[in-house]
Amino acid sequence: MPVDYPYWRAVYDFFRRWRAFDYARELYERLRRSARERAGRSIEPSAGIIDSQSVDASETVGEGSRGYDGGKSRDGRKRQVLTDTEGLLLEVTVTPADVHDSKAAPALLETFMDQPGRLLKLVWVDNAYQGPALAKAFARHGVRIEVVRRSDGRCGFVVLARRWVVERTLSWLSRSRRLNRDHERRPDHHAQMVWWAAVIRLSRRLAADAPRWPEKRPGRLLRTRA
């Protein structure tokens, strides 16, 4: 922890309060609505994309909340994310890495749709998100699933329609050092770190157009030279 921070117990107490009341998520949702309004879109999306990302866990993560993802060769946890069509984060849940995507997706959708005012009607997914139990959970909320399949015979990296958006969001999150590896003892604390990383990125994006430097404020630049 940086030396200019207060005693670690005081910092953790604030973090625990924000986690208990979901303040980081609320802050991000306000920023997301502002970003969508600025882009001329409705504040609540009607379509989204779901994908997952497995990360290795450090020794601080207990055996009860970690697993091994054989497909990705990761021993740790998996974060399931739901984004809008611009890649803005809508919801995140954290599970052991060995939990299949089709089993984790219903909880992700339930968490998002339980909030008032949701307008989600369509979700794009990959081949892992299939099965009668998953379809039933989505149908209960009137949300339609559309599977974006990989073309047969294609090798290597291929940009897939819609899916590249959520994959880009996952790469943005991975740039946060705290999310490169799971250090949190509790899964809900890891989810809070995802929200914080998203807040930092989106707040910087919204502030990118703000005039902060002299070359972006011609009037002030002239006064300085004078």
Side-chain angles (χ1 to χ4, degrees), residues 149-161:
R149 303 183 185 276
R150 185 185 179 93
S151 300
D152 295 336
R154 301 293 295 275
C155 298
F157 175 76
V158 178
V159 177
L160 300 177

Side-chain angles (χ1 to χ4, degrees), residues 33-182:
R33 292 178 182 130
S34 297
R36 288 182 60 89
E37 282 184 329
R38 182 177 296 185
R41 304 172 70 93
S42 172
I43 61 174
E44 283 295 329
S46 59
I49 312 102
I50 291 179
D51 204 355
S52 65
Q53 183 180 49
S54 297
V55 292
D56 289 321
S58 64
E59 65 279 359
T60 57
V61 178
E63 294 295 331
S65 62
R66 67 190 296 165
Y68 183 76
D69 183 353
K72 302 294 180 61
S73 298
R74 298 287 187 181
D75 180 15
R77 291 188 179 131
K78 181 186 293 185
R79 41 184 180 250
Q80 298 275 343
V81 299
L82 169 65
T83 71
D84 65 5
T85 54
E86 293 186 352
L88 300 178
L89 189 63
L90 299 178
E91 193 56 70
V92 57
T93 58
V94 178
T95 65
D98 58 353
V99 175
H100 195 267
D101 292 343
S102 62
K103 296 182 179 179
L108 177 71
L109 182 71
E110 292 283 354
T111 304
F112 178 72
M113 297 299 290
D114 281 347
Q115 303 297 319
R118 301 307 190 194
L119 303 176
L120 195 65
K121 297 298 180 183
L122 172 64
V123 172
W124 288 281
V125 296
D126 61 21
N127 293 329
Y129 296 90
Q130 298 187 67
L134 177 65
K136 182 179 180 180
F138 275 64
R140 185 165 59 251
H141 292 282
V143 178
R144 182 168 59 89
I145 300 178
E146 185 173 318
V147 179
V148 181
R149 303 183 185 276
R150 185 185 179 93
S151 300
D152 295 336
R154 301 293 295 275
C155 298
F157 175 76
V158 178
V159 177
L160 300 177
R162 301 297 182 179
R163 278 178 51 187
W164 70 269
V165 175
V166 67
E167 291 169 355
R168 182 186 60 178
T169 300
L170 291 173
S171 69
W172 285 343
L173 295 175
S174 297
R175 297 182 66 181
S176 174
R177 184 174 59 180
R178 190 75 179 190
L179 300 180
N180 274 335
R181 188 176 178 88
D182 192 356

Side-chain angles (χ1 to χ4, degrees), residues 186-200:
R186 296 172 44 163
D188 57 340
H189 285 183
H190 182 90
Q192 288 299 304
M193 290 301 174
V194 174
W195 284 116
W196 276 115
V199 165
I200 292 171

